[in-house]
Amino acid sequence: GAFREHGYVLLEAAKLEAAFKQPRIVLICLYKGQPVYKVMVGEFNGRKQADQLKTEMARKGVPGIVKDLSTVG
């Protein structure tokens, strides 16, 4: 997810970590000169596990995408 409020993103990140029992990462990026906070949940060695978490999240009403962080550079 992407958020604009620092306090809100920390609350949401903690909720996601607790709900899915996965580590989370909060990134701070700039978009049009304004800070945007991105939350990533989970750490996996393969796509299959990541897709399983994405499916579980969707069942609970939390949309997401799978991102291969090895390609981020």
Side-chain angles (χ1 to χ4, degrees):
F3 306 89
R4 292 193 181 265
E5 300 283 333
H6 181 261
Y8 183 70
V9 74
L10 294 179
L11 289 173
E12 288 301 310
K15 286 181 193 177
L16 290 169
E17 184 175 36
F20 298 105
K21 309 293 188 258
Q22 292 288 332
R24 47 90 172 116
I25 299 170
V26 176
L27 297 174
I28 303 169
C29 305
L30 287 178
Y31 179 73
K32 295 184 180 181
Q34 298 295 317
V36 175
Y37 305 92
K38 296 182 179 183
V39 179
M40 292 183 281
V41 180
E43 180 179 2
F44 308 100
N45 292 323
R47 175 83 188 210
K48 185 176 179 179
Q49 292 174 314
D51 283 335
Q52 288 172 341
L53 177 62
K54 179 182 171 189
T55 300
E56 179 185 348
M57 291 173 68
R59 279 195 298 259
K60 293 183 178 183
V62 180
I65 61 169
V66 174
K67 180 72 176 172
D68 182 353
L69 296 182
S70 70
T71 63
V72 176

